[in-house]
Amino acid sequence: QTVVTQEPSLTVSPGGTVTLTCASSTGAVTSGYYPNWFQQKPGQAPRALIYSTTNKHSWTPARFSGSLLGGKAALTLSGVQPEDEADYYCLLYYGGAQLWVFGGGTKLTVL
Amino acid sequence: EVQLVESGGGLVQPGGSLRLSCAASGFSFSSYWMTWVRQAPGKGLEWVGDIKQDGSEKKYVDSVKGRFTISRDNAKNSLYLQMNSLRAEDTAVYYCVGGGGHDYWGRGTLVTVSS
């Protein structure tokens, strides 16, 4: 069974920088996994932030960026704002089985 | 404005069936794979399955294979999820998702499987 692992929780100070990561139990994450990132605030539907590793949607704030880092997909928030406090989920594509798998999510606290 | 509106959720007994619908507007529905994602109460997101633009390919997470069926009607800009043999662990909010980068999400519809 394929498992996608994220940090359960992270804390960052306002104005700071934080990197969330997304690892695959099958090995290094590459661009071929088409990493997606989503933000979800309490009581709301998820909102798409990043697709295909680095690509931003038109509504994605500039302070969010996606990359590959040390064999994982990564989401970096630079100049964190209080409104960035939320749960963040990554999503990876497994081409062999043609399936997508979400990570368990990271709860980001801005404190 | 892009809108995805799910409907059809509710309370159903274990072993029962339910059909969810998703009405799409504001984007080229027929141009994209469409996806169902669910979220159990207090838990994370789970990819349920998706369907190709013309409905010719469908993929499912193992836990729903043989029980759930995804379909679409491009003439009606609508996506469907037929859920049979429902179990307590299928209790979740079900989201309809569309767009090339999983761009667009509905608000979800709650399915509760309980006796």
Side-chain angles (χ1 to χ4, degrees):
Chain A
Q1 183 183 355
T2 301
V3 177
V4 177
T5 301
Q6 299 181 242
E7 297 86 0
S9 64
L10 291 170
T11 300
V12 61
S13 299
T17 297
V18 65
T19 297
L20 290 65
T21 67
C22 176
S24 173
S25 61
T26 59
V29 175
T30 65
S31 59
Y33 286 79
Y34 303 98
N36 284 219
W37 290 92
F38 304 89
Q39 178 193 65
Q40 187 179 33
K41 296 182 178 180
Q44 297 184 15
R47 180 176 73 143
L49 293 174
I50 301 287
Y51 64 98
S52 295
T53 309
T54 61
N55 296 285
K56 300 180 185 182
H57 295 280
S58 59
W59 52 82
T60 303
R63 61 184 180 274
F64 290 84
S65 63
S67 65
L68 296 176
L69 196 63
K72 300 178 184 181
L75 175 71
T76 299
L77 288 71
S78 305
V80 172
Q81 302 296 308
E83 61 264 30
D84 296 333
E85 185 163 290
D87 293 328
Y88 292 84
Y89 294 92
C90 67
L91 177 65
L92 300 181
Y93 180 66
Y94 291 82
Q98 294 183 291
L99 301 174
W100 294 85
V101 180
F102 277 99
T106 296
K107 183 176 182 61
L108 181 67
T109 300
V110 181
L111 199 57
Chain B
E1 179 193 7
V2 172
Q3 280 199 316
L4 290 170
V5 181
E6 301 93 340
S7 61
L11 175 63
V12 60
Q13 292 188 338
S17 298
L18 214 53
R19 188 192 194 214
L20 305 184
S21 300
C22 171
S25 62
F27 72 105
S28 182
F29 178 81
S30 61
S31 297
Y32 299 105
W33 284 75
M34 291 296 294
T35 301
W36 285 100
V37 172
R38 67 184 179 183
Q39 186 169 35
K43 302 297 184 183
L45 301 175
E46 181 180 33
W47 181 87
V48 173
D50 59 14
I51 183 169
K52 195 176 180 179
Q53 289 91 329
D54 62 359
S56 61
E57 292 183 36
K58 305 171 189 182
K59 305 296 179 182
Y60 302 93
V61 67
D62 283 350
S63 59
V64 309
K65 277 182 185 175
R67 301 188 300 123
F68 288 13
T69 302
I70 299 174
S71 62
R72 66 191 296 164
D73 185 338
N74 287 340
K76 295 182 178 180
N77 284 350
S78 293
L79 177 71
Y80 306 100
L81 181 64
Q82 177 66 44
M83 303 185 293
N84 300 330
S85 303
L86 282 161
R87 307 167 180 167
E89 54 265 35
D90 296 319
T91 294
V93 173
Y94 285 74
Y95 295 103
C96 168
V97 183
H102 300 94
D103 310 39
Y104 312 121
W105 291 65
R107 293 187 176 184
T109 186
L110 176 62
V111 172
T112 303
V113 184
S114 174
S115 54

